[in-house]
Structures are given as structure tokens and as C-alpha cells.
Amino acid sequence: MADNFFIATAIDYTNSAPHIGHAYEKILADVIARYHRLKGENVFFLTGVDQHGQKVQQSAEQQGLAPEKFVAEVTGKFTALWQKLEVEHDGWAATTEERHKQCVQKILRRLWDEKQIYKDKQGGYYSVRQEQFLTDKERGPDGEFGPEWGTVEFREEENYYFKLARHKEWLRQLLDSRADLISPEFRRSELRNAVEKLSGDLCISRPKSRLSWGIELPFDAQFVTYVWFDALVNYISFAPGGYDASVTGIADPGHNSEFHRWWPAVIVIGKDILIPAHGIYWMIMLHALGFTDEQLPRLLVHGWWNMGGAKMSKSLGNVADPTALADKYGVDALRYYLMSDIATGKDADFSEERLVTRYNSELANSLGNLLNRTLNMAQRYCGSRVEASDLSNAILQSLRRESALVVTDVTRAMGENAIDASLGAIVSLATRCNQIIEQNAPWQMAKETSRQAELSSLLYGLADVLRIIAILISPVLPKAAREIFRQLKWEKAFHLEDTTFGGLPSGHLVGPPEPLFPRVEIQAS
Ligand code: MSP
């Protein structure tokens, strides 16, 4: 039976429109999900939106909208973008949905009943203007809270706390023993160091007087739950079988077979939300709910896209807009750039110029050109019929060898989620085929009737490598991959196991060439 693979991403805040960082993460997860589907696995890919919390409440207020209305509008921008960018998710998490609220409340209720949550009074510095308690992180270099906080006063407030600190030793040992839990490896060390410094419990409530846009605590209607406690639960409430599982006691596979067929998930997140949210709060929440160490999700932590070395921010006005970029250069160009110009786990600098240059040289000149000239020559010299009269022919042997090596490289790279390396290998195969064309000069062969069989074999080999390239590149460029198949007149489903050379039947009739990746010019915004 095929394996099940459950992949989820962080859910995006709906306090403002999606930007390139959001698009990168969803495409990354989409590519990994598509690759697992290509391997024949059953895949469930979950993404969605984080709709509660102070930021959303404040943005809605600023626009004079009810939070429901504001959230629905921003959510629409995310769903439209994922559709445009071919982010093919199976599940959609929206935290204002009733089933999610119920799940969060069931989980809170359980932790409360089991005395893992308690009520306490604590004091701290409170910004009246920003309506939030401040920590030492908010102090300026002079040790004072800056003018942006307005009046800061000392306040005491009653709240509910989740017993986090008592699980510190468990988490430390877990991180030492499970090398596979967090990748890349250096993030596990960072998390390990953060756990070392962990002290104190987690405040999981906000009085309704301060924040009303949230999920009510099931044991105290005067409070809503802290946004992270709400958001993290999406990985359960929107997982297959997750809603039912939360009712019967989540961690028990005996009761929750559907949920446990899929769980644990691989969760794709940015580096900013590993510590403390996913690496500490989420791991401890699950442990407290009775999940065993083997049932804990694996975290794939990606880096950030910056702009000219600086963080993208709305206030600096340097945020790249994925919708505008896809409209200008096409979805393939954007997906290709975001997957090829960053190493998973590291940061990268976003550059529209590099997007255009890479697209033109690697897709238009290399792969697009290979498809175009292969089909063009097949049409002109062989009536579009490509025939491998002799598979032991030297050119076919070398195409077989080169494509097999690339399949191995791509499989290895994808196994490590190194999408950039996988694309590098695929493009190098297209470049190699273009060199083989130059070296063998099929236009010369066409002039000699005695070399007709050799010519047809060469074109057969190139068409078959294009078939293999289409399969390998399909997770990143699904539209282009389908288009290559269409032009090859090979309208089959995509399977990784079909990447062995020689899959096209000899004598196959290919289609006429059509431009696959028209060159683009950089456009002013
Ligand atoms: N809502 C929380 C996540 C809750 S998950 C239970 C959140 N939302 S966010 O909208 O701020 O960020 C969503 C994701 O986008 C995060 O994984 C974050 O790291 C990622 N990115 C935000 N900006 C980014 C870049 N500039 N580059 C790459 N990813 C970035 O955090």
C-alpha cells in the first residue's frame, strides 16, 4: 500500500496582503508535496490562514471594518494567490472556522481538566497605546521603552498559564536524541540552546477587555486564548480525522485511526517561528496532550528572502508582491526563481533582475530551446516520427547514461529538500543535450541519406530526455511539464518511476513545436 505523507505550512496572518515570503513557503511545500505524489504516495497538503489576534483586530479597526469582514477580504487575497501560483493544497485551515474553534476548546478543556493550565496574577509594563504588555525585548538601547509605545504603566492582570517549564528536561533530551526532528541541523542546535534558557510558563489567555477577536476559553468566558495556542492547533483540527480525534483524545491511535494514518506531519515554517512557537510551545503542547516522541511532527525550517540585504517590511516599502510578479513574468518564471535562487534553510536576496536572467538563460535558452529545436528538427527531417533503430548507438548510450545520473542526483537532492540542487541537475541535462546537438550537427546528418537512421535515433533520444525532464521538473513547473508532454504528444500521468531512458515507443509521432518559455525583459514596476 502506498505511503501517506502529510505536509503542512505555517498559516499566514491575515493582517495584510500576501508577500513574496508567504509565496515562497507555500510553493516550497507545494513542490515537496508534488514530489511525493510523483513518487506515488498519498499526500495531504495543508495550508491556510491565521485569522485571530491583536494584529488583525488592530488592522481591522484602522480600516473601520468589523474583524470578520476584514479577515474575509484579506483571506480572499491569499486563496486567489495560491490558485494563481498553482499551490495545490488538499486542506485549507482558517482559524475562524467553527470546527477549529471547537478543537481548540476541546484541547484547552483537556489541559485544564488535567491541571496543566492554572490561573495566576502577574504584573508588568503595559503600553496603553499598543494595548499589550511589554518585555525587556521592547526596551531601547537606553533601557527605556521608546515613544512608539505611548504611555507605559505598571499593571497587574489575572491570566491563565500553561505549565511549560516542567517539560524542559524532556524537550532537551528529545532534541538530543532525534536528529531527524528539525532540519536543517543547525536549527536544531539553536533550538537546543533556547531550551536551555527556558524558564517560566506560557500565558495563554488575554482578557476580553483587551482582545476580543479570539477563541473563548471554555472554562472562563472572560478570556480568549492567546493566538499561538489557537494557530498551532490548526495542524490537528484541519488534519484528516483531526476534528474527530480532538473529541476522543488525540494521541490515541486506537481511537483515531484516520488521524494516525496521516500524522505526524512535516511542518514547513520560516526561521522566525521555530523559537519559541513551533520548537518549544508546539512540541510541549503535543507532549502534554499525550503524544509520544514518535508522534511529534518534523519541522522543516526555511530561511528568509531579504531585499538588498535588509529585511522586507511594509514600512520600508521594499516588499515584493507575488501577484504583480506572476502577472509580469508568468507563474513558471516566479516559481522557478523562488525555488532555484535560494538554498533551503538559508536566506537569499530577492532580485527581479536575477529572476529575469535565470528564466531567460535556464528556461528560455536552455530547456525551451531544447524542446523547440528537437521538435522542429523532428518535423523537418523525419515527418515528426522519432525512431530508435539501434538503442546501442553511441549517442543514445550517452543520453541514457547522462539522464540516469541526473535522475539519481534529482532523487537525492529532493530527498534532502534541496530543490535548488535538483533544478541545477535538471537544467544541466538540458544544457548537455544542447551540446550534444551542436557536436553531432543533425542538420549535416540530414544532408546524407545514409545517416537518416542515426538522425532519427538522435531525435528519439532527445525527445525521450525531454520526457524525463518534464517528469523531473513537474513538481516545480507543473504547467510547463504538462506542456512538454502535450508537445511530445505523450499525454500520460506523471510518475517518477517512468524516468528510465527509452520510455517513448520507437516510431512515436511528436507534435509541432510551440514556444514554451518566451523570453522576458525586465519591466519597471
Ligand atoms: N501566523 C503565524 C504562523 C502560525 S503557524 C501555526 C505567522 N504568520 S506570518 O504571516 O507572519 O508568516 C507566515 C510564514 O511566512 C512564516 O513561516 C514566516 O517565516 C514566513 N515568512 C514571512 N516573511 C518571510 C520572508 N521574507 N521570507 C521567507 N519566509 C517568510 O508567523
Side-chain angles (χ1 to χ4, degrees):
M1 220 175 60
D3 287 340
N4 286 349
F5 180 69
F6 177 19
I7 182 166
T9 72
I11 50 172
D12 299 314
Y13 281 131
T14 52
N15 60 322
S16 58
H19 60 63
I20 207 74
H22 298 132
Y24 166 63
E25 180 176 280
K26 305 322 150 201
I27 295 172
L28 174 62
D30 181 57
V31 168
I32 298 171
R34 285 176 187 269
Y35 180 70
H36 282 260
R37 288 191 203 110
L38 198 64
K39 288 204 293 182
E41 293 172 23
N42 301 319
V43 173
F44 190 87
F45 169 24
L46 175 67
T47 190
V49 279
D50 187 355
Q51 298 167 307
H52 287 127
Q54 185 124 21
K55 285 191 207 164
V56 175
Q57 181 172 308
Q58 282 171 348
S59 304
E61 270 164 21
Q62 276 159 17
Q63 297 202 7
L65 290 175
E68 291 83 351
K69 181 122 200 306
F70 175 80
V71 153
E73 264 175 34
V74 182
T75 299
K77 294 187 183 161
F78 280 94
T79 49
L81 181 64
W82 303 150
Q83 206 173 4
K84 186 187 206 64
L85 298 184
E86 298 206 58
V87 171
E88 204 175 75
H89 51 87
D90 304 288
W92 181 249
T95 53
T96 51
E97 261 188 44
E98 194 48 40
R99 70 188 258 201
H100 174 72
K101 290 186 195 169
Q102 288 179 17
C103 270
V104 170
Q105 288 181 334
K106 294 250 157 43
I107 285 172
L108 282 165
R109 160 70 63 194
R110 241 186 86 192
L111 294 173
W112 173 249
D113 289 347
E114 288 170 9
K115 310 222 171 340
Q116 309 234 31
I117 292 174
Y118 61 93
K119 195 173 190 184
D120 197 9
K121 185 187 270 183
Q122 282 193 7
Y125 290 97
Y126 184 79
S127 155
V128 179
R129 180 192 289 167
Q130 296 297 334
E131 299 176 29
Q132 71 179 81
F133 277 94
L134 304 176
T135 65
D136 284 343
K137 269 192 284 177
E138 275 86 39
R139 289 182 192 272
D142 58 357
E144 300 295 320
F145 296 112
E148 69 275 22
W149 302 109
T151 309
V152 174
E153 59 188 35
F154 189 84
R155 271 200 194 177
E156 280 204 318
E157 196 174 87
E158 278 207 304
N159 267 306
Y160 289 88
Y161 292 81
F162 171 53
K163 292 181 183 168
L164 202 67
R166 52 150 55 171
H167 300 295
K168 174 173 169 172
E169 194 45 41
W170 163 79
L171 186 53
R172 194 164 39 187
Q173 283 183 17
L174 175 80
L175 290 170
D176 286 345
S177 63
R178 286 279 307 276
D180 63 317
L181 207 59
I182 320 280
S183 76
E185 173 63 29
F186 74 95
R187 296 283 177 209
R188 182 167 67 124
S189 320
E190 277 179 17
L191 177 58
R192 176 74 174 66
N193 292 340
V195 173
E196 208 68 62
K197 293 190 203 109
L198 176 69
S199 68
D201 290 333
L202 175 67
C203 177
I204 56 139
S205 65
R206 297 291 180 270
K208 275 197 186 160
S209 53
R210 283 209 279 131
L211 176 70
S212 54
W213 186 237
I215 300 177
E216 202 170 88
L217 293 188
F219 41 83
D220 191 337
Q222 298 306 307
F223 292 83
V224 298
T225 189
Y226 170 49
V227 68
W228 275 107
F229 214 98
D230 164 349
L232 289 162
V233 171
N234 94 86
Y235 304 124
I236 291 174
S237 49
F238 296 98
Y243 175 77
D244 296 337
S246 79
V247 180
T248 46
I250 308 157
D252 179 2
H255 269 94
N256 304 301
S257 51
E258 171 67 354
F259 179 69
H260 286 279
R261 258 199 296 281
W262 292 96
W263 189 265
V266 170
I267 304 181
V268 181
I269 54 168
K271 61 179 185 177
D272 57 318
I273 55 173
L274 171 67
I275 303 167
H278 285 78
I280 298 181
Y281 301 164
W282 185 223
M283 292 295 172
I284 292 183
M285 278 163 74
L286 292 168
H287 178 64
L289 285 164
F291 282 72
T292 64
D293 293 358
E294 289 66 42
Q295 289 173 337
L296 295 174
R298 279 179 295 143
L299 305 178
L300 172 60
V301 187
H302 63 75
W304 268 39
W305 285 94
N306 297 321
M307 231 3 143
K311 196 172 160 175
M312 280 187 214
S313 90
K314 264 198 304 181
S315 50
L316 290 173
N318 64 352
V319 181
D321 173 6
T323 309
L325 287 162
D327 288 342
K328 266 203 233 174
Y329 303 114
V331 171
D332 279 344
L334 181 60
R335 286 181 66 109
Y336 183 76
Y337 175 70
L338 289 178
M339 289 300 105
S340 61
D341 217 34
I342 190 169
T344 312
K346 305 239 173 77
D347 289 355
D349 222 44
F350 184 84
S351 145
E352 202 164 320
E353 206 178 306
R354 278 183 66 73
L355 183 157
V356 168
T357 310
R358 291 198 72 144
Y359 171 84
N360 282 338
S361 84
E362 291 157 32
L363 295 184
N365 292 357
S366 190
L367 179 52
N369 187 28
L370 175 65
L371 177 71
N372 202 269
R373 65 206 299 210
T374 301
L375 297 187
N376 202 355
M377 290 189 288
Q379 192 175 43
R380 189 163 335 148
Y381 305 141
C382 323
S384 295
R385 185 177 300 281
V386 290
E387 203 147 2
S389 42
D390 175 13
L391 274 173
S392 64
N393 151 320
I395 301 177
L396 291 187
Q397 283 302 317
S398 94
L399 286 173
R400 174 190 296 276
R401 212 174 32 248
E402 310 238 4
S403 56
L405 284 174
V406 166
V407 170
T408 309
D409 286 350
V410 168
T411 317
R412 187 186 313 120
M414 291 304 288
E416 294 164 0
N417 301 314
I419 324 290
D420 60 327
S422 147
L423 287 171
I426 299 169
V427 170
S428 76
L429 180 58
T431 306
R432 185 72 194 108
C433 287
N434 279 319
Q435 285 168 354
I436 289 178
I437 295 177
E438 297 305 322
Q439 285 158 1
N440 290 280
W443 42 89
Q444 292 298 341
M445 293 178 181
K447 290 182 187 153
E448 301 168 42
T449 25
S450 62
R451 299 184 72 190
Q452 190 59 37
E454 201 186 340
L455 173 59
S456 186
S457 291
L458 169 61
L459 295 174
Y460 168 87
L462 295 170
D464 202 50
V465 173
L466 279 159
R467 181 188 63 81
I468 294 170
I469 288 178
I471 298 172
L472 296 177
I473 214 163
S474 63
V476 176
L477 304 180
K479 209 162 61 180
R482 286 193 299 272
E483 182 56 21
I484 297 175
F485 265 29
R486 194 187 65 77
Q487 293 194 29
L488 289 174
K489 289 216 165 129
W490 188 250
E491 289 181 45
K492 303 257 164 156
F494 288 82
H495 297 295
L496 190 61
E497 61 190 24
D498 295 341
T499 47
T500 308
F501 184 78
L504 275 185
S506 176
H508 180 74
L509 259 181
V510 296
E514 283 170 50
L516 177 65
F517 299 117
R519 284 180 65 86
V520 294
E521 300 300 328
I522 188 139
Q523 291 172 29
S525 340

